[in-house]
Amino acid sequence: SEHGCCCVDKVVHCVYCAVAMMRRRCGLILLLLIASCCVQHHLISAFTPPSPSLSRRTQPPITSGHVVIFHEATKRGTTKPSSSFLIKASPSGIDEWPIISQAAVFFGVYAGLAIASFPTIKLLETFSQSVVGLEKWRIYMIDSTLPILMGFVYLLGGIGHFAAADAFQDIYPRFGSWGIWYLPGSAAFHVAWTGVVESLCGAGLIFSGIRDSIGPEDVEEENILINFVKPICASILFVLTILVTPANIYMFTHGAVMGDMAPLDMSFHAIRFAVQVTFLSLLFTLARDSFFYAWGDELD
């Protein structure tokens, strides 16, 4: 569209100007800020509801083999048998499987994340040592690019936990899901505390990334704890990403969506799985490398 072309032209113009002004780290920071604005635009668009429809909380309950008649006045539904079609509660149909099979899928997803993340982490390690070189890897990735970009992603995600709290609560697993989910606390509580952690640690990564990128290289009598902000925040976000995975699994197995989103097909879950593997691998690498670099600086 004309509007889209205009936006593309503006982005291209900004990138061209940034490249022209690039001078070591200052130019890199400018490019990162442009990229973060693009990420913010797409995240905001993701939270924008599509065409008006029934929200998840006003949709009738779905049952297998029954047609549901929903009474808006009483907010209650009644069912009657249907021999013509079968309504599935999720596109995957996994929530209709036996409970033990659902639990197997739950743990299988975690196993898949571990199996896929290990070679990805090793690939990043090989890339940093053999292709980029450890010195450049530290300067352009660990000290600047990774913490700033990952920090913006998690900071915006944490803000989204409050800006679109109802949407995030929609994908929180219901009590008894998979026959194993009996975590105490309401959906609102868990959405809130995870949002706080994402926001704080995301801001910590941004702070440490900008500080290492534009700060002086020789600082006397520096606070030791500041040097470890980056590995601590990256480690917390790595663990948090693992802890919030049940929400993603719930979307896959039970068809949960955020707000008024349309049902998600299998391609979405496959892409999100790959993205989560990438995030876990990047966070692990960032936490490990930044810790060793900070520890080495203290020993020197």
Side-chain angles (χ1 to χ4, degrees), residues 65-196:
H66 291 77
V67 174
V68 181
I69 303 175
F70 189 67
H71 305 288
E72 182 66 27
T74 61
K75 303 295 182 181
R76 295 182 179 179
T78 59
T79 63
K80 66 179 182 179
S82 171
S83 58
S84 60
F85 60 94
L86 182 68
I87 302 176
K88 292 185 180 297
S90 69
S92 67
I94 295 176
D95 54 343
E96 294 188 331
W97 294 5
I99 290 297
I100 188 172
S101 299
Q102 296 183 32
V105 172
F106 178 89
F107 292 110
V109 171
Y110 269 106
L113 286 173
I115 294 173
S117 297
F118 179 76
T120 307
I121 292 172
K122 298 299 291 184
L123 180 62
L124 288 172
E125 183 177 349
T126 302
F127 180 77
S128 64
Q129 295 176 358
S130 304
V131 179
V132 179
L134 293 179
E135 183 178 357
K136 291 183 178 179
W137 176 257
R138 176 179 183 177
I139 294 174
Y140 296 109
M141 296 300 293
I142 301 300
D143 283 353
S144 54
T145 305
L146 273 183
I148 293 176
L149 288 183
M150 297 299 290
F152 268 108
V153 169
Y154 278 93
L155 175 60
L156 294 174
I159 294 174
H161 279 230
F162 299 96
D166 291 341
F168 279 92
Q169 292 173 27
D170 286 343
I171 63 173
Y172 180 80
R174 299 301 180 257
F175 198 74
S177 296
W178 313 291
I180 58 175
W181 189 259
Y182 298 100
L183 188 68
S186 65
F189 168 75
H190 290 292
V191 168
W193 78 261
T194 53
V196 170

Side-chain angles (χ1 to χ4, degrees), residues 167-241:
F168 279 92
Q169 292 173 27
D170 286 343
I171 63 173
Y172 180 80
R174 299 301 180 257
F175 198 74
S177 296
W178 313 291
I180 58 175
W181 189 259
Y182 298 100
L183 188 68
S186 65
F189 168 75
H190 290 292
V191 168
W193 78 261
T194 53
V196 170
V197 174
E198 286 189 14
S199 299
L200 292 178
C201 291
L205 287 182
I206 296 172
F207 163 77
S208 61
I210 294 178
R211 172 181 171 273
D212 290 343
S213 297
I214 64 178
E217 297 182 357
D218 297 325
V219 180
E220 298 182 356
E221 299 182 0
E222 192 177 44
N223 190 338
I224 297 178
L225 291 178
I226 295 181
N227 293 330
F228 289 92
V229 168
K230 189 187 304 174
I232 291 174
C233 290
S235 299
I236 292 175
L237 289 175
F238 175 82
V239 174
L240 182 67
T241 302

Side-chain angles (χ1 to χ4, degrees), residues 56 89-92 95 102 177-178 249-256:
R56 184 171 177 79
S90 69
S92 67
D95 54 343
Q102 296 183 32
S177 296
W178 313 291
I249 300 176
Y250 187 66
M251 296 176 70
F252 170 58
T253 60
H254 289 68

